[in-house]
Amino acid sequence: MDTIFALASARGKSGVAVVRLSGPRAHDVAVTICGGLPPLRQAGLRVLRDSAGEALDTGLVLAFGAGSSFTGEDVVEFQVHGSLATVAALESCLAQDHGLRLAEPGEFTRRALENGVMDLTQVEGLSDLLEAETESQRRQALRVLDGALGRLVEDWRKHLVKAAALVEVSIDFVEEDVGDFDAAILAALETVAGGLASEIAGQAARERMQTGFEVALVGAVNAGKSTLLNALAGREAAITSEIAGTTRDVIELRMDIDGFAVTLLDTAGLRDTDEVIESIGIRRGRERALQADIRVILCEGPDAPPPLQPLPGDIVLLGKADLFPGHDDAVSGLSGQGLDRLLARIAAELTSRVARDGVSVRRRHLQAMQTAERALSEAIEKLRSGAYVPELVAADIRAAMTALDALIGKVDVEDLLGDIFASFCIGK
Amino acid sequence: MKHYDVIIVGGGHAGVEAALASARMGVATALVTFRTEDLGTMSCNPAIGGLGKGHLVREIDALDGIMGRAGDYAAIQYRLLNRSKGPAVQGPRVQADRSRFRHFVAQEALATERLDVITAEVTALIWEGDTVGGVVLADDNRIHARAVVMTTGTFLGGKVFIGEESFPAGRMGDEASSLLAQQLRGLGLPMGRLKTGTPPRLDGRSIDWAALETQPGDAQPEYLSFLTRQTQARQVACAITHTNARTHDIVRANLGRSAMYGGQIEGVGPRYCPSIEDKITRFADKDSHQIFLEPEGLDDDTVYPNGISTSLPADVQEAYVRSIRGLENVRILQPGYAIEYDYLDPRALTSALRLRDLHGLYLAGQINGTTGYEEAGAQGLVAGLNAALFALGREPVSFSRSQSYIGVMIDDLTLRGVSEPYRMFTSRAEYRLSLRADNADQRLTPLGVSLGCIGGVRAEAFGQKIARLEDAKAALRGFSFTPKQLNAAGHKVSQDGMRRDALDLLGLPGFDFDAVVALAPDLGSIGAETRVQIEKEMVYHSYLDRQDAQIRALRADEARNIPDGFDYTAISGLSHELAGKLARVRPETLGQAMRIDGMTPAALVLVLARLQQGKMRARA
């Protein structure tokens, strides 16, 4: 039985994140990470370290013995600081350093069921929980396929199916006069392995950099963005003045909104201008705002159209609320009106977003890509050596396709046979 | 009026294996066939085994079936396919003398205790409610039985096409079972049409053999049966020739007269066995196709030209065949033809090959949408065993994908159905590295022994073989070496300070048995056959370790039965789409449910929870 782990608390929702391990190696791995376990069912404060000895965080550690845990197996819970960076580092340590597997949706529950440690009412309450997980998985899959990664992934699938089909042709249809495909197989696998390697490198870099969410303040020139930022920050971070166009570049401010690490971006006001430096500032500001997780778009007046087309989840408000009394959807940095409501809306939007996306998806995909890349490297090494056993190359490719199936979709033997019969005249 | 425990309808490869398996299980069995002379007839190409197919033959043999032994008796050429590749993808294959094969099968069927062979046409099944009670014969006689196995091949609604002509028939020269087909259609079971084709049969005396490249058999024959110790018939060579531009022109000019291209056939043909019409149309850029000229027997001049099946009119067949090198003056003994037939959607079957909604009725072979003697024989064996178990009031036996090609095939058929005649390939087996032809006996004979279908001769031979293997492994474990010792002997191993025993060494690259014997001369006493077997096991050593965990998880899921009629709509949280799919497919175990298209891990947990809930309620 594998030892599995997963973040048990909602991501970013609170200041504390709970990462849970379950399985035969849970205690051993935890001992390596935190030096020594407290007595069972008692919390102990420990410094968590990765295998290089680097401190990951200081947190509470709780261990449960098999038979008296949520899953019925050996379980350890780490309660660490809720920042995305901390959780990502801990997860990476568990997966990379210790070879544990990220749990499938519902897998903890499944183990609990199999070990008979759930009672009837708990079993009956399961469906809502699992429904939510299934739904979030489905949406995640859609998101991947819609995005830029989707095209890449489609390409990987094509190459893997092609490579696997060519290997299988040489095995199952050896009596047909089909030829030798080593070069084509190698080329297809190298393409995918190369793509995986660069995607893995990119993801890892993004994860290191990403310590939170970005919220951009967008609005027409002098809509009160900088004043609002300063009010939110409680200090003068951006220069504010009554002269339009003061903020020429992007000003960043890190803050904590309801447990989320948020970087607020104050962007240059949007207007047509002939001034070269200002127009560069506006362009940069707009680009940066579009990449942010959420845009807070400030309108100039009750009937003014938003200066930027809002994306789903964006917040559109009337700026300078002090000038337009009687409007609810308004905010003012100057008077402080609507500030709390704005913060609450940002927090609510981020909460709903981490529930359906967040690092866990990327983490899962990263792990899948790493597994696939290792398998493909083995296949490539065999092919390059010249003397290889085709069924082992086939096994490596199959392992890669299985690891990637959440990304590329399940590849079935029918897909391979379809490719074979379309490409070769089989039938002695 | 006669009574049996099990009746088998049909005497082809499925029928014979079913009847013999049922008789081996110790129940009174009758096999009813149109003509007793046709027992064991190879109606298509004169070969047994191959890739995936050879694996099936070994598995049939491991369960003490007849196909491997009959194939060895009939073999006039042995070839182990993929000899240069690893043992998992090597498939034993033979060219078989048709009459020797038929003779061996008929003799054994007629001599088997508890098995009666009855020559008659079955026109109807007898029903007692939704339970089958026997069969009605054409002369209105009735035979009663507790279980019936239908292995009617292409005889159900069979229709032969040669060019513009077509007529009902099961095989050239045989009548089709139309009455039985009508009754089966009346049962409201899901049916479909498939097609398959055959090439013209040639007179070997009119072939210019000297002009052709020959293909001899292997010098070291790899026998089909674990029991065979020596070659039993004279060995011959096959020949190879090719189609050419002229052949293609003739076929192309006459496509309109082909039954398949004239739109007379609605059934779906196999993609891996295209007709010559298909090859030339779909692969127009290929200017030549390979043809294997396979002799049908030692005392038979008929030659089977493998690779040019057709439904063109006889005169066109003669013209295109004579355009081929070596066949310029060939005489066609029987024109090629296409046959279209009914099959029953195998998703209506359980993993025991029993119709789900009817009791006591089992189906095996081409009627389930498969093609090939080996696929048919393997299903016949499973259906025969289960019919006998049913008659005995015992639990059915089902075969796992992780244990056998038989399990792969039955799971594919019953869970996913077919869209073309189903043929086995090694790529269908996800646990291919452990499901090898060489270890079929180790995988299945113990199961056969526990079921009671293994005869004394095989049981003893198997026991001795296992004892030799165990002894040899124990001996290998008894010698171990430090990295230092190994390096001193000229072997490069990592200096990790770990002692490795002689068995471990066989799993490392660069070590074969001779290298190990050089290190420990005492191991030289291990016999050649045992050495080869252990080497084969160790080839995939590191991969098999990884696969074992998956196999264990799969078997655990397969051990969780889902009762028939399980109410998926009552599971809240399960999407309508999945609930509908599960209700339609009716998986028998959680393991099967997992393989349903679109199934998610979370949905599987819901099903598991519902199963547990039922148990908890039952306890409460």
Side-chain angles (χ1 to χ4, degrees):
Chain A
M1 187 65 82
D2 290 356
T3 299
I4 53 175
F5 71 90
L7 182 65
S9 54
R11 219 166 268 267
K13 222 174 191 172
S14 67
V16 175
V18 179
V19 174
R20 191 183 272 153
L21 282 58
S22 179
R25 290 179 56 212
H27 287 183
D28 286 350
V29 168
V31 167
T32 320
I33 291 175
C34 68
L37 287 179
L40 293 181
R41 309 179 80 85
Q42 285 182 35
L45 191 64
R46 295 286 185 277
V47 178
L48 314 185
R49 293 177 189 282
D50 65 17
S51 60
E54 287 289 320
L56 298 166
D57 196 9
T58 302
L60 288 179
V61 178
L62 251 167
F64 303 86
S68 59
S69 71
F70 165 63
T71 58
E73 302 176 322
D74 279 347
V75 164
V76 173
E77 279 183 14
F78 292 119
Q79 301 185 4
V80 295
H81 292 98
S83 93
L84 295 167
T86 306
V87 172
L90 178 57
E91 287 184 333
S92 160
C93 167
L94 292 168
Q96 299 301 310
D97 297 358
H98 298 286
L100 303 194
R101 183 166 61 74
L102 194 58
E104 298 286 337
E107 197 169 3
F108 283 99
T109 313
R110 176 163 183 170
R111 291 187 176 196
L113 272 171
E114 288 180 344
N115 292 323
V117 294
M118 294 188 105
D119 64 33
L120 196 53
T121 40
Q122 284 174 312
V123 172
E124 279 167 353
L126 271 180
S127 56
D128 294 341
L129 177 72
L130 289 167
E131 186 175 21
E133 287 197 41
T134 312
E135 177 58 14
S136 85
Q137 278 256 307
R138 194 184 62 78
R139 277 204 233 152
Q140 285 159 8
L142 287 178
R143 284 172 70 95
V144 169
L145 294 175
D146 282 348
L149 187 57
R151 282 187 296 279
L152 197 60
V153 149
E154 188 50 40
D155 207 42
W156 291 346
R157 181 189 164 94
K158 250 188 272 165
H159 280 106
L160 286 173
V161 167
K162 178 48 86 184
L166 291 175
V167 176
E168 296 300 345
V169 156
S170 71
I171 293 173
D172 266 335
F173 302 101
V174 63
E175 286 184 285
E176 314 282 343
D177 185 20
V178 286
D180 177 357
F181 310 107
D182 286 10
I185 297 168
L186 190 57
L189 296 184
E190 279 171 341
T191 304
V192 181
L196 282 169
S198 72
E199 193 58 28
I200 290 166
Q203 282 236 25
R206 275 199 293 284
E207 271 197 10
R208 271 198 303 282
M209 284 167 54
Q210 184 177 23
T211 49
F213 293 91
E214 286 185 343
V215 175
L217 300 180
V218 187
V221 165
N222 223 358
K225 301 182 299 297
S226 298
T227 318
L228 175 59
L229 181 80
N230 291 341
L232 289 170
R235 64 188 165 93
E236 198 129 315
I239 316 145
T240 50
S241 76
E242 284 302 315
I243 310 158
T246 313
T247 310
R248 286 194 176 159
D249 215 322
V250 181
I251 300 207
E252 299 188 8
L253 175 71
R254 301 279 307 272
M255 63 185 296
D256 183 292
I257 300 180
D258 208 12
F260 290 102
V262 170
T263 302
L264 275 177
L265 308 175
D266 180 16
T267 62
L270 304 174
R271 70 165 176 183
D272 293 327
T273 175
D274 294 332
E275 205 210 319
V276 179
I277 298 182
E278 192 187 351
S279 66
I280 293 172
I282 291 174
R283 203 188 64 225
R284 274 197 211 153
R286 182 190 285 270
E287 284 170 4
R288 187 70 189 278
L290 285 173
Q291 287 166 12
D293 296 288
I294 297 177
R295 280 144 296 281
V296 174
I297 301 171
L298 299 180
C299 301
E300 280 182 287
D303 301 315
L308 189 77
Q309 186 58 40
L311 299 171
D314 284 353
I315 298 168
V316 182
L317 291 173
L318 185 57
K320 299 195 174 174
D322 44 313
L323 300 182
F324 306 101
H327 279 275
D328 276 353
D329 266 359
V331 66
S332 165
L334 204 61
S335 68
Q337 185 190 334
L339 277 184
D340 289 345
R341 207 161 44 225
L342 173 58
L343 289 175
R345 281 183 69 178
I346 294 174
E349 178 57 29
L350 290 178
T351 304
S352 81
R353 224 171 262 200
V354 289
R356 58 173 196 257
D357 186 9
V359 198
S360 72
V361 192
R362 279 190 293 252
R363 160 70 48 197
R364 191 179 293 284
H365 290 163
L366 184 62
Q367 215 177 53
M369 291 191 287
Q370 284 165 335
T371 308
E373 200 218 349
R374 273 196 301 276
L376 292 183
S377 302
E378 287 188 34
I380 289 169
E381 200 179 307
K382 290 185 185 105
L383 284 158
R384 283 190 187 143
S385 78
Y388 70 96
V389 187
E391 63 271 29
L392 291 184
V393 170
D396 291 334
I397 301 176
R398 193 189 285 264
M401 292 191 298
T402 308
L404 287 178
D405 74 5
L407 279 165
I408 65 174
K410 273 206 167 61
V411 178
D412 195 59
V413 63
E414 287 302 326
D415 297 313
L416 306 188
L417 292 174
D419 194 79
I420 291 172
F421 299 135
S423 318
F424 299 101
C425 184
I426 298 295
K428 69 166 247 186
Chain B
M1 186 163 41
K2 289 209 72 162
H3 283 266
Y4 289 91
D5 292 312
V6 174
I7 293 172
I8 317 293
V9 182
H13 303 277
V16 167
E17 291 292 356
L20 293 173
S22 172
R24 286 201 300 284
M25 291 293 288
V27 305
T29 307
L31 184 156
V32 187
T33 177
F34 276 153
R35 283 210 308 256
T36 311
E37 313 83 272
D38 284 349
L39 285 174
T41 292
M42 296 196 280
S43 48
C44 194
N45 63 322
I48 303 274
L51 294 164
K53 289 168 171 282
H55 292 74
L56 284 172
V57 176
R58 282 280 173 85
E59 291 181 1
I60 294 170
D61 189 65
L63 291 164
D64 220 3
I66 192 173
M67 185 170 280
R69 289 177 294 118
D72 280 329
Y73 178 78
I76 53 177
Q77 185 190 82
Y78 280 95
R79 290 213 314 126
L80 179 65
L81 304 185
N82 277 336
R83 194 178 271 277
S84 66
K85 302 190 177 87
V89 295
Q90 292 177 353
R93 182 181 191 275
V94 303
Q95 290 301 142
D97 177 306
R98 276 183 204 287
S99 79
R100 282 179 72 91
F101 192 91
R102 214 166 43 220
H103 175 76
F104 188 94
V105 169
Q107 203 174 41
E108 182 152 321
L110 295 171
T112 295
E113 256 183 89
R114 293 180 297 274
L115 173 60
D116 289 344
V117 176
I118 298 168
T119 307
E121 182 189 351
V122 171
T123 53
L125 294 169
I126 301 171
W127 291 100
E128 293 152 12
D130 58 2
T131 302
V132 75
V135 299
V136 182
L137 304 182
D139 59 10
D140 278 344
N141 269 319
R142 293 170 160 247
I143 314 177
H144 286 260
R146 307 195 54 183
V148 173
V149 182
M150 302 271 287
T151 68
T152 49
T154 61
F155 283 66
L156 277 186
K159 200 170 177 191
V160 161
F161 295 83
I162 305 178
E164 292 101 345
E165 289 172 56
S166 74
F167 47 89
R171 186 161 57 206
M172 266 321 235
D174 292 315
E175 51 205 307
S177 315
S178 306
L179 290 172
L180 192 55
Q182 277 167 26
Q183 192 198 18
L184 280 182
R185 286 205 191 90
L187 291 174
L189 298 168
M191 317 267 296
R193 297 282 280 168
L194 290 173
K195 75 164 188 210
T196 188
T198 64
R201 309 298 166 90
L202 311 178
D203 184 341
R205 290 166 299 186
S206 61
I207 294 175
D208 180 8
W209 296 100
L212 299 173
E213 175 196 342
T214 58
Q215 187 186 44
D218 292 343
Q220 271 291 334
E222 178 79 19
Y223 298 121
L224 296 178
S225 171
F226 288 105
L227 295 181
T228 303
R229 288 280 160 265
Q230 60 187 25
T231 307
Q232 292 161 63
R234 180 162 62 84
Q235 300 294 291
V236 301
C238 294
I240 298 175
T241 184
H242 295 89
T243 61
N244 54 44
R246 209 155 67 79
T247 321
H248 294 200
D249 288 342
I250 296 168
V251 172
R252 217 175 285 120
N254 289 285
L255 276 179
R257 297 179 64 198
S258 160
M260 278 178 268
Y261 275 78
Q264 299 177 52
I265 296 186
E266 51 182 288
V268 182
R271 289 171 298 173
Y272 44 82
C273 193
S275 62
I276 188 70
E277 294 97 302
D278 267 334
K279 288 183 177 183
I280 285 162
T281 312
R282 288 185 40 225
F283 296 91
D285 54 327
K286 247 194 134 190
D287 46 22
S288 175
H289 296 275
Q290 201 173 224
I291 303 168
F292 289 84
L293 298 177
E294 305 177 349
E296 299 212 344
L298 294 175
D299 305 319
D300 183 347
D301 290 314
T302 313
V303 167
Y304 187 96
N306 204 339
I308 51 168
S309 74
T310 185
S311 63
L312 284 162
D315 59 313
V316 182
Q317 294 188 28
E318 188 171 272
Y320 86 69
V321 168
R322 288 187 170 181
S323 72
I324 296 166
R325 186 182 171 85
L327 308 181
E328 294 84 353
N329 299 306
V330 84
R331 271 189 305 281
I332 291 181
L333 296 172
Q334 182 195 297
Y337 59 92
I339 178 161
E340 195 187 34
Y341 55 97
D342 281 351
Y343 78 99
L344 186 132
D345 183 345
R347 286 175 293 189
L349 301 170
T350 69
S351 60
L353 296 182
R354 178 177 69 75
L355 276 170
R356 269 179 214 282
D357 297 318
L358 300 169
H359 297 286
L361 186 56
Y362 297 78
L363 273 69
Q366 257 173 314
I367 189 173
N368 292 340
T370 65
T371 171
Y373 312 139
E374 303 82 355
E375 288 83 352
Q379 289 171 69
L381 179 75
V382 173
L385 287 176
N386 276 301
L389 288 168
F390 177 81
L392 291 167
R394 288 168 57 187
E395 284 296 305
V397 58
S398 75
F399 291 81
S400 165
R401 296 184 75 89
S402 65
Q403 181 191 30
S404 61
Y405 275 81
I406 296 178
V408 170
M409 173 174 64
I410 291 181
D411 190 62
D412 283 348
L413 292 174
T414 58
L415 213 56
R416 315 180 52 168
V418 299
S419 54
E420 67 182 331
Y422 179 97
R423 172 179 151 185
M424 186 47 76
F425 302 111
T426 70
S427 47
R428 294 196 193 276
E430 60 272 50
Y431 303 114
R432 174 163 68 187
L433 300 180
S434 45
L435 306 186
R436 306 188 306 273
D438 67 75
N439 69 1
D441 54 347
Q442 295 175 60
R443 292 185 278 116
L444 293 174
T445 304
L447 172 70
V449 169
S450 71
L451 287 171
C453 71
I454 306 290
V457 175
R458 184 177 302 269
E460 200 188 321
F462 177 71
Q464 286 165 357
K465 175 176 171 178
I466 291 301
R468 282 194 300 273
L469 276 173
E470 297 298 329
D471 289 350
K473 283 184 197 166
L476 287 159
R477 289 259 179 244
F479 291 90
S480 67
F481 310 92
T482 63
K484 216 171 169 181
Q485 288 172 314
L486 292 170
N487 276 39
H491 297 290
K492 287 202 180 70
V493 299
S494 64
Q495 294 292 318
D496 51 10
M498 296 249 296
R499 288 187 81 84
R500 291 174 175 82
D501 68 36
L503 192 59
D504 294 332
L505 291 183
L506 287 173
L508 298 177
F511 277 92
D512 59 10
F513 229 99
D514 290 341
V516 168
V517 172
L519 289 165
D522 287 0
L523 295 171
S525 61
I526 296 172
E529 207 175 312
T530 307
R531 288 185 188 197
V532 170
Q533 190 57 43
I534 291 176
E535 277 177 353
K536 284 178 177 171
E537 280 173 25
M538 296 308 288
V539 169
Y540 304 117
H541 179 64
S542 60
Y543 279 78
L544 293 180
D545 282 353
R546 272 182 255 171
Q547 244 177 38
D548 275 351
Q550 295 168 25
I551 290 180
R552 272 199 305 277
L554 173 65
R555 293 209 176 142
D557 282 343
E558 282 175 341
R560 292 174 209 282
N561 289 314
I562 302 176
D564 201 22
F566 186 72
D567 185 6
Y568 294 99
T569 57
I571 302 179
S572 73
L574 194 63
S575 73
H576 282 301
E577 192 196 339
L578 267 183
K581 215 175 238 180
L582 283 159
R584 226 175 16 256
V585 178
R586 293 157 75 179
E588 293 168 51
T589 67
L590 205 62
Q592 278 189 2
M594 187 182 68
R595 288 193 290 275
I596 292 173
D597 198 35
M599 196 65 179
T600 65
L604 206 64
V605 177
L606 288 176
V607 175
L608 177 65
R610 185 76 185 174
L611 288 169
Q612 303 272 66
Q613 211 176 356
K615 274 192 210 148
M616 286 179 191
R617 288 238 167 75
R619 268 205 306 273

